[in-house]
Amino acid sequence: MMNAKISRENPLIHKVVMVDGQPGCGKTMLSSIIASFEKVELITYIFELEFICRLYSFNKITKDATLAMIKMLIDNKIYQTMMGRDTNFRYNDISSIFNYRDPKKYFKRIFDVGDEAIPNKITKEKPILNVTSHDLLINVDVLFKALGKKLVFIEIVRHPLYMLIQQTLNMENLTNNPRDIEIYFMKKKVEYPYFVHGWEKKFRNFNSIEKAIYAIFIHTKKNDVKRKKILKKYHRNFISIPFEDFVLYPTNYIKKINKLIGTNFSKDTHGILSNHRVPRKKIADSIPLDIYKRCGWKPPKKNLTEKEELNLRRSFAVKNKVSKEMLELLDKLSRDYEKKYFKKIKIN
């Protein structure tokens, strides 16, 4: 077998911004807004990148191969995007060109020069790849190791009660479904999704909503530890944003994101913000997209306070026969989140 170090030392990418977080945290909303900035491409997903990072965390792929593959996948995505390939033309998708501020740009690329012209085009135009990722904060070290200052990593955090319904639906409808093309592992002849590693017995015994609560707990715990380390080392290329604070008071966050990425607003940014109802008077006042509805979103109740909206979502757990232990854990997660992130938000 050939023994050689895998490498890629001549990258194409100018800049990549990754918006990451747990399911239901609001990643696609922020990615859509970022797509309105100058030089930023439409939302894209690179699931192969996530697979490789997770395999690396399981020690199933070497570090040199992981770093090289991250660079290759990022370069391949920007190359294909600039060529007019691998672009989403499905009309209703969030990542569709028809939800981008200038769809004509992607139609033009289909007929434009390509191949050998693309590297010079990237150097001249300096496009910013706009990636929405899932649960990658825990692997962010290897991403920064591969991409360095070319990477801007944005973490979105959100109140656990606002993520609970979507994550419960994921446990019911997606986990162990052939449609869930994700890393699974085998233990004692039982297959588990990657995020269950270390709490397999609990996963087997929990109902769907208890699985969701414990998954939120595990991710939050690990991410809190990782965030402190990353802020010390990569603070110039990393920001953590509370969803609630952003949708109510977006101005300073948007300015900081622009500075981190090295771009600016476009003439369309204000309209895109308005489309997403940002800033909004109430946290739950989202837009009624079909994808959000499928993930459990419902319009806010009139005249309810923020606290009453939270209690409404807590009642979802109570109605679904969550155990006393898991309900107490959910309440603790909620209290901790509110204490940390609700300093400017009145919930009563």
Side-chain angles (χ1 to χ4, degrees), residues 47-211:
F47 292 106
E48 300 89 342
L49 187 71
E50 299 180 21
F51 302 157
I52 287 165
C53 286
R54 304 203 209 292
L55 287 172
Y56 177 71
S57 70
F58 276 95
N59 295 315
K60 295 298 181 180
I61 183 170
T62 61
K63 186 174 182 179
D64 61 323
T66 301
L67 295 176
M69 284 298 297
I70 289 170
K71 295 176 184 178
M72 289 165 64
L73 287 167
I74 291 291
D75 281 350
N76 182 64
K77 179 59 72 173
I78 194 61
Y79 181 87
Q80 301 297 347
T81 300
M82 297 297 283
M83 281 279 289
R85 297 172 177 155
D86 286 355
T87 303
N88 189 354
F89 286 81
R90 188 175 172 84
Y91 189 79
N92 288 323
D93 283 4
I94 292 175
S95 58
S96 167
I97 67 161
F98 299 105
N99 284 315
Y100 184 69
R101 63 186 179 88
D102 182 20
K104 295 191 296 294
K105 179 167 80 172
Y106 294 97
F107 281 104
K108 183 180 177 183
R109 285 179 182 174
I110 296 172
F111 303 100
D112 208 350
V113 293
D115 301 311
E116 292 86 353
I118 296 301
N120 287 335
K121 194 174 182 181
I122 292 171
T123 300
K124 181 181 178 181
E125 296 183 13
K126 295 180 172 53
I128 300 169
L129 194 62
N130 181 13
V131 179
T132 304
S133 59
H134 310 79
D135 298 332
L136 279 188
L137 180 62
I138 199 68
N139 303 111
V140 76
D141 300 275
V142 73
L143 291 167
F144 274 117
K145 184 72 174 176
L147 301 170
K149 294 179 180 179
K150 295 178 182 290
L151 171 64
V152 172
F153 195 94
I154 302 173
E155 178 203 18
I156 301 294
V157 295
R158 193 172 186 179
H159 197 294
L161 288 173
Y162 273 98
M163 298 189 293
L164 182 61
I165 296 176
Q166 179 174 336
Q167 295 206 28
T168 300
L169 291 173
N170 286 352
M171 296 298 180
E172 291 177 352
N173 304 324
L174 194 58
T175 303
N176 291 116
N177 186 317
R179 183 172 165 267
D180 187 26
I181 305 172
E182 185 51 272
I183 300 298
Y184 280 69
F185 67 94
M186 187 75 73
K187 187 172 182 179
K188 295 182 179 179
K189 298 183 180 180
V190 179
E191 197 173 52
Y192 301 94
Y194 71 92
F195 58 84
V196 176
H197 191 256
W199 55 285
E200 296 88 353
K201 185 176 179 180
K202 285 184 170 65
F203 186 82
R204 289 198 309 272
N205 295 329
F206 284 158
N207 62 28
S208 295
I209 194 165
E210 290 167 345
K211 290 175 182 178

Side-chain angles (χ1 to χ4, degrees), residues 11 17 27 43 57 62 71 74 96 105 114 154 171 173 194 211-212 232-233 241 245 261 275-276 293 311 328 332 342:
V17 55
K27 300 182 292 289
I43 300 175
S57 70
T62 61
K71 295 176 184 178
I74 291 291
S96 167
K105 179 167 80 172
I154 302 173
M171 296 298 180
N173 304 324
Y194 71 92
K211 290 175 182 178
K232 289 181 180 179
K233 196 170 183 180
I241 299 176
D245 215 31
I261 300 174
N275 290 345
H276 286 275
K293 292 176 182 177
N311 287 338
E328 288 175 352
K332 185 180 186 308
F342 275 25

Side-chain angles (χ1 to χ4, degrees), residues 143-329:
L143 291 167
F144 274 117
K145 184 72 174 176
L147 301 170
K149 294 179 180 179
K150 295 178 182 290
L151 171 64
V152 172
F153 195 94
I154 302 173
E155 178 203 18
I156 301 294
V157 295
R158 193 172 186 179
H159 197 294
L161 288 173
Y162 273 98
M163 298 189 293
L164 182 61
I165 296 176
Q166 179 174 336
Q167 295 206 28
T168 300
L169 291 173
N170 286 352
M171 296 298 180
E172 291 177 352
N173 304 324
L174 194 58
T175 303
N176 291 116
N177 186 317
R179 183 172 165 267
D180 187 26
I181 305 172
E182 185 51 272
I183 300 298
Y184 280 69
F185 67 94
M186 187 75 73
K187 187 172 182 179
K188 295 182 179 179
K189 298 183 180 180
V190 179
E191 197 173 52
Y192 301 94
Y194 71 92
F195 58 84
V196 176
H197 191 256
W199 55 285
E200 296 88 353
K201 185 176 179 180
K202 285 184 170 65
F203 186 82
R204 289 198 309 272
N205 295 329
F206 284 158
N207 62 28
S208 295
I209 194 165
E210 290 167 345
K211 290 175 182 178
I213 292 169
Y214 205 77
I216 292 171
F217 165 69
I218 290 294
H219 280 123
T220 300
K221 184 178 178 181
K222 289 182 177 180
N223 289 347
D224 284 348
V225 173
K226 176 62 70 173
R227 189 182 308 113
K228 290 178 182 178
K229 295 179 180 178
I230 295 303
L231 280 169
K232 289 181 180 179
K233 196 170 183 180
Y234 300 108
H235 63 277
R236 289 186 175 86
N237 292 72
F238 174 84
I239 183 174
S240 183
I241 299 176
F243 174 90
E244 298 82 6
D245 215 31
F246 179 85
V247 296
L248 297 177
Y249 314 107
T251 304
N252 288 337
Y253 289 113
I254 291 173
K255 288 180 180 177
K256 188 165 185 178
I257 292 169
N258 268 308
K259 185 176 180 181
L260 286 173
I261 300 174
T263 185
N264 212 329
F265 310 120
S266 73
K267 59 182 177 59
D268 304 295
T269 299
H270 181 73
I272 299 295
L273 285 165
S274 295
N275 290 345
H276 286 275
R277 297 176 182 167
V278 176
R280 59 185 65 162
K281 293 181 179 180
K282 199 171 184 179
I283 293 168
D285 192 22
S286 184
I287 53 177
L289 295 181
D290 288 341
I291 181 63
Y292 294 167
K293 292 176 182 177
R294 290 202 305 273
C295 292
W297 177 84
K298 293 181 180 179
K301 300 285 185 180
K302 289 185 177 180
N303 302 319
L304 290 189
T305 65
E306 297 289 7
K307 183 65 175 178
E308 288 168 336
E309 285 284 358
L310 290 170
N311 287 338
L312 197 63
R313 285 153 181 79
R314 184 182 183 276
S315 68
F316 172 81
V318 177
K319 290 176 183 177
N320 282 274
K321 300 179 180 179
V322 67
S323 69
K324 181 180 177 182
E325 179 187 4
M326 285 297 102
L327 186 60
E328 288 175 352
L329 179 59

Side-chain angles (χ1 to χ4, degrees), residues 329-345:
L329 179 59
L330 179 62
D331 288 341
K332 185 180 186 308
L333 285 166
S334 298
R335 288 193 303 271
D336 290 347
Y337 187 88
E338 290 164 21
K339 183 178 179 180
K340 187 172 184 179
Y341 295 112
F342 275 25
K343 294 176 181 177
K344 293 193 296 182
I345 301 171

